[in-house]
Amino acid sequence: MQLRCILRPGAGAFLTLFALAPAPALAQPQQASTPPAADAEGAPVNGAPAEGTPADAAAAEGAALEGDPADGVPADGGEAVPAAGGEPPASGPLQVMVSGSRRGPAPRAGSDYQIVVGQLIDVPRTSAERLLTLAPGLFLANHGGEGHPSAVFLRGFDAGEGQDIEFSLQGIPLNEPSNPHGHGFADTNFLISRLVDRLRVVEGPFDVRQGDFAVAGSAEYTLGLQERGVTARAGYGTFGRTELLALWGPRGFGADTFVGVEWVRGDGWGKNRAHQAARALAQIGWALDEDTRLRVLATSYATRYDTAGVIRLDDLVTRQVPGCGEDFDDQFFCTYDPNQGGSVQRHGLSAQLEKKGDESALDAQVFATVKNLRSRENFTGYELDVTTDGAAQRGDGTEQVYDAVTVGSRGSYTRYVDWLERRHEVELGYFFRHDSADAMLRRLRRADGVPYARDFDNGLRITNAAAYASIHARPLRWLTLRAGLRLDSFMFGVEDRKQPEVDRVGTREPSTRSEAFGVAVQPRGVVTVIVAPWLSWMTSLGLGTRSSDAQALSDGESAPFARVVAAETALVSRTLGGPLSAEARLSGFATRVSNDLVFDEQRGRNTPIGASSRFGATVWGRIAHPGIGFDVASSLTWAEAYLPPGDASPFDLAAGSRLPYVPRFVFRLDASERYPFTVRGQQFRASAAVGLQFVDRRPLPFEQLGAAYGTIDAAARLRWRWFEVGAEMTNLFDRRNREVELNYPSNFADPEAPASQLPARHVIAGAPFQILGTLTAYLDQEEPES
């Protein structure tokens, strides 16, 4: 029997075996293979392409650029199903389809990046959060130390720790409404990076599934462990960093079944930067039948970390940071206030049911999360505690405490409809979450970190209920249309526990309650023109919203929303065959936000600043060849962001002053190479990886510019049978990066000095050169193939 093997690369790999001639012992009278049924004009019936019609083949292949189920895969993801047209004939070539990893949903915009991490996990990154930089234009800047989530900058947005990006884990929402550290705060540090299988980053509010906080876009993690067996890894490096990791993928189960535990600690690269964390994630997937799958996920996480905070640039230049040596590095990696740091405890549970068939798909999920956060910071020193009796200021340290329980559910039903000889989709979905939380902000004395005043102390009850509908139509072979409408409603209940016990009338209870309700309507759509089998042109338009911070609402108010209008046009190119997989995108975008946020040093969080506008462009590409173990991704994003005056036209995107802190140019390169070889009959595999990021000078308040940011990370590993040794290096050339730069008045020297009104440059040091040596054992696994 002659066999031909064709491998189609992509997120879902399909191995097709064709028997070109029967074995002699099984020889039977043969009949000619019959093509799928077609009408008189050669068009396919019921969505099955007629054999031998190039136009239909090109259309089907072009539609695959958009995730069309032309090859038997439902457009919203899932396991492979037989292509339309029925089962293969009893005689003729035998076709066997073997499914690999699940496909993601069909792209909803030109900047809908569905990133399989793959070999790029080899590029050293200290956390799962850092995997977000695989998406183009995304830059992370951490001002709170390891354990504190980074501020995210994306395509002209300063999204803080999540205020303008909707974060989720396999459908589980991660943004925390009315968190005292920032409305929409999202922490992804509870994830184990080596269990992240895919990332989906949609840059812009173009998908009706995107909900609250999807102003700049959304980011969703999908977990999976491809390797079966046990992986045990130990690492030790500079500054006392120690890592212990154990992963287990039981044999006989799919990649969505795994257990992972990780413990990390370190002394930090300077004063007040020690940290430690423990993470555990476990998921099991059951195939209830050939079309239905149930997944149950449990997560647990705890961390404690110290924070160095800001350093005034003038003190750094003159070597006057107190309590540190006179060497530049001693000053650069120093701290003013040792009472800074934080802790987090987070535990979650989720159950998801997926049922996928030829005609429809059903997805339903329930989830619950328990979260505790405590964060202590000081951005201004002795600036805000001005007393009327002339006493010395006590300090501007803040303590933010957040305890929350979140429960919710989401689901969708998709129906595939064959009409006018093409397949179309109708999707209906819902989302529900309820948050019961306590949020408090207190002021701390700098001398000993003891609280001396409360800014607020609130009990929160917030309910978000949403429904959406979308239609994906293909009126022509070269044209697809997707349109949808999302309706979000919010119910806010706030108990303000910081009220006076006596007012002008007399004694009273020191608390009040208030409620507010708001509704947001969000239409979204995309038009896709299939220019060629390998090229699509996608144009998207959408309206997104950010809900109100419950602490700012009054009783009976119609809760306002920050609204964003976004538009984008993009060219998307992908190869669909052969061992080489390549993808490239070129996009241009423009957005306008009705009420943007910018960092406020007095509150230590982003606060409203008014309308903003932005525009720019992104070029991104990735090329991989699994046969030679080669994978490279690179991107360059240009973004301009402005604060327009009140009389500016909505179409004058460059009116006004620049929005501070937002990078204009972000460049990223990730590359990995795995090379198997044999020495004296023993199989080895060498791996090398490099990651490079450059960010141009960032605008600051008062028309200032910060310093450029650049870093190069590298890793090398050698595996022999079941053992691997490696070295991971970050900031390879030991560059002194200013990871965060701010410009505002402060006083860290004299508690009796009057409040300063002169802005000064403040910096937060980026990590210096670090190296981590690793030893990994692969137990109960097959040897790597040569």
Side-chain angles (χ1 to χ4, degrees):
M1 177 186 294
Q2 291 180 305
L3 295 177
R4 182 176 64 185
C5 177
I6 298 177
L7 179 64
R8 301 178 183 173
F14 301 95
L15 182 65
T16 306
L17 300 178
F18 294 95
L20 300 184
L26 301 177
Q28 299 289 340
Q30 299 291 312
Q31 297 180 0
S33 178
T34 304
D39 61 17
E41 297 179 358
V45 174
N46 295 329
E51 190 172 285
T53 56
D56 287 349
E61 194 164 277
L65 285 168
E66 201 191 28
D68 188 1
D71 56 1
V73 182
D76 64 344
E79 308 295 340
V81 297
E87 298 183 0
S91 59
L94 171 66
Q95 178 173 317
V96 179
M97 183 175 293
V98 182
S99 65
S101 59
R102 296 187 305 130
R103 284 182 181 238
R108 302 298 177 103
S111 291
D112 184 350
Y113 298 96
Q114 302 185 38
I115 302 168
V116 178
V117 178
Q119 276 190 221
L120 297 185
I121 193 65
D122 293 347
V123 179
R125 289 178 167 88
T126 56
S127 65
E129 174 189 71
R130 296 282 162 177
L131 290 172
L132 291 170
T133 58
L134 290 172
L138 201 148
F139 172 64
L140 301 176
N142 196 309
H143 69 261
E146 187 159 346
H148 184 286
S150 299
V152 184
F153 298 87
L154 177 63
R155 294 209 316 186
F157 281 90
D158 176 1
E161 289 93 353
Q163 69 190 20
D164 288 333
I165 298 178
E166 180 192 31
F167 284 93
S168 60
L169 168 64
Q170 297 180 171
I172 305 169
L174 303 181
N175 299 82
E176 299 167 8
S178 298
N179 187 304
H181 198 72
H183 181 48
F185 180 90
D187 187 355
T188 61
N189 286 312
F190 70 96
L191 298 174
I192 298 174
S193 60
R194 293 189 173 272
L195 288 178
V196 177
D197 186 52
R198 298 194 308 275
L199 281 169
R200 185 189 181 199
V201 178
V202 183
E203 301 184 358
F206 303 124
D207 185 354
V208 291
R209 300 177 184 178
Q210 294 171 287
D212 194 16
F213 306 109
V215 175
S218 59
E220 181 176 22
Y221 289 86
T222 298
L223 303 178
L225 181 62
Q226 299 298 329
E227 293 180 321
R228 300 290 87 188
V230 176
T231 301
R233 167 177 143 142
Y236 185 78
T238 49
F239 309 111
R241 184 176 182 89
T242 306
E243 296 184 3
L244 297 175
L245 171 69
L247 305 175
W248 177 40
R251 288 180 176 272
F253 289 82
D256 60 353
T257 298
F258 55 80
V259 177
V261 293
E262 183 178 43
W263 178 75
V264 179
R265 71 159 303 276
D267 301 325
W269 53 85
K271 277 195 170 184
N272 221 55
R273 289 177 170 85
H275 58 89
Q276 52 188 333
R279 305 173 178 89
L281 291 90
Q283 180 173 272
I284 185 168
W286 287 284
L288 304 183
D289 56 46
E290 61 180 7
D291 296 326
T292 309
R293 193 163 187 84
L294 174 66
R295 297 181 184 86
V296 177
L297 170 67
T299 67
S300 185
Y301 170 62
T303 185
R304 189 196 178 281
Y305 58 91
D306 295 327
T307 299
V310 298
I311 296 292
R312 285 176 62 107
L313 189 58
D314 52 4
D315 285 348
L316 177 63
V317 171
T318 58
R319 308 294 196 272
Q320 292 183 357
V321 181
C324 301
E326 295 184 358
D327 181 77
F328 177 83
D329 279 2
D330 290 338
Q331 295 274 303
F332 190 57
F333 298 116
C334 195
T335 183
Y336 291 121
D337 188 348
N339 299 311
Q340 300 181 90
S343 62
V344 177
Q345 297 182 64
R346 186 189 192 281
H347 312 282
L349 187 66
S350 166
Q352 181 180 8
L353 182 70
E354 289 183 333
K355 185 176 181 63
K356 299 182 182 295
D358 295 339
E359 302 299 330
S360 64
L362 178 67
D363 185 4
Q365 182 178 26
V366 293
F367 52 84
T369 304
V370 178
K371 173 76 177 288
N372 168 264
L373 174 145
R374 177 175 178 243
S375 178
R376 294 167 291 123
E377 297 175 322
N378 189 346
F379 286 95
T380 53
Y382 300 104
E383 185 77 10
L384 307 178
D385 181 36
V386 180
T387 59
T388 58
D389 57 3
Q393 295 194 45
R394 292 163 288 184
D396 299 341
T398 62
E399 180 187 51
Q400 300 153 341
V401 179
Y402 187 74
D403 292 284
V405 175
T406 302
V407 295
S409 176
R410 69 168 187 88
S412 65
Y413 175 76
T414 304
R415 180 73 179 179
Y416 307 115
V417 180
D418 294 322
W419 183 56
L420 296 179
E421 302 171 354
R422 275 175 285 276
R423 174 153 286 195
H424 313 270
E425 301 167 26
V426 178
E427 180 179 347
L428 301 175
Y430 75 92
F431 175 83
F432 166 83
R433 71 177 285 183
H434 175 76
D435 294 87
S436 178
D438 294 308
M440 180 173 59
L441 175 61
R442 299 193 290 190
R443 295 287 171 177
L444 307 179
R445 294 195 303 235
R446 180 176 166 187
D448 52 15
V450 173
Y452 66 84
R454 281 185 299 168
D455 281 14
F456 60 78
D457 183 359
N458 296 327
L460 307 172
R461 305 297 181 265
I462 303 173
T463 299
N464 173 206
Y468 66 84
S470 70
I471 299 175
H472 190 187
R474 301 174 177 87
L476 301 171
R477 289 191 174 95
W478 51 270
L479 177 67
T480 66
L481 306 173
R482 187 185 296 274
L485 184 69
R486 182 183 180 94
L487 178 68
D488 274 274
S489 65
F490 291 87
M491 177 65 185
F492 302 92
V494 181
E495 180 186 6
D496 185 351
R497 304 175 183 135
K498 185 184 173 298
Q499 292 291 323
E501 296 185 5
V502 179
D503 58 17
R504 295 179 180 179
V505 178
T507 59
R508 51 159 293 173
E509 285 291 322
S511 66
T512 59
R513 286 182 176 270
S514 60
E515 288 82 28
F517 195 91
V519 177
V521 180
Q522 303 160 82
R524 293 159 188 178
V526 59
V527 177
T528 302
V529 177
I530 301 173
V531 181
W534 49 271
L535 180 66
S536 290
W537 176 25
M538 305 181 74
T539 300
S540 308
L541 183 65
L543 176 66
T545 60
R546 182 200 318 115
S547 63
S548 303
D549 189 338
Q551 301 173 49
L553 298 174
S554 58
D555 193 23
E557 180 179 3
S558 178
F561 293 86
R563 302 183 184 276
V564 57
V565 178
E568 176 192 73
T569 187
L571 293 174
V572 180
S573 174
R574 293 160 67 182
T575 60
L576 297 178
L580 185 69
S581 173
E583 183 174 358
R585 303 192 190 194
L586 174 63
S587 62
F589 58 87
T591 62
R592 187 175 181 88
V593 182
S594 63
N595 189 13
D596 213 334
L597 303 174
V598 73
F599 179 77
D600 180 355
E601 69 282 354
Q602 296 186 7
R603 302 188 65 185
R605 57 183 290 186
N606 286 9
T607 56
I609 197 174
S612 67
S613 58
R614 52 192 49 78
F615 59 92
T618 294
V619 58
W620 173 84
R622 184 173 182 180
I623 184 169
H625 195 304
I628 60 176
F630 180 71
D631 197 347
V632 176
S634 184
S635 66
L636 175 64
T637 296
W638 160 63
E640 302 284 354
Y642 291 88
L643 295 169
D647 58 351
S649 167
F651 300 100
D652 190 358
L653 299 178
S657 59
R658 289 191 182 277
L659 187 66
Y661 310 125
V662 173
R664 296 182 63 200
F665 292 95
V666 176
F667 172 77
R668 180 77 197 187
L669 171 68
D670 292 278
S672 171
E673 170 70 19
R674 296 177 178 176
Y675 179 72
F677 61 95
T678 303
V679 176
R680 295 184 178 181
Q682 296 293 316
Q683 292 185 0
F684 294 84
R685 187 181 72 188
S687 303
V690 63
L692 183 152
Q693 186 164 48
F694 174 79
V695 177
D696 195 19
R697 302 179 67 187
R698 287 162 279 177
L700 299 175
F702 309 105
E703 304 299 326
Q704 300 292 307
L705 286 175
Y709 175 96
T711 184
I712 297 177
D713 309 319
R717 299 177 181 86
L718 179 64
R719 178 173 174 176
W720 172 68
R721 302 186 70 183
W722 299 285
F723 300 96
E724 181 181 77
V725 295
E728 300 179 358
M729 295 156 284
T730 55
N731 195 4
L732 187 62
F733 295 103
D734 202 22
R735 177 184 170 91
R736 293 295 175 262
N737 284 308
R738 303 174 187 176
E739 186 157 344
V740 176
E741 286 193 79
L742 305 167
N743 206 35
Y744 57 81
S746 71
N747 170 25
F748 286 95
D750 187 359
E752 298 185 359
S756 172
Q757 300 299 319
L758 297 177
R761 186 78 59 89
H762 297 71
V763 300
I764 295 178
F769 169 77
Q770 299 180 84
I771 184 170
L772 180 75
T774 62
L775 175 63
T776 306
Y778 299 91
L779 309 176
D780 193 30
Q781 294 186 358
E782 297 179 357
E783 294 189 50
E785 296 182 0
S786 60

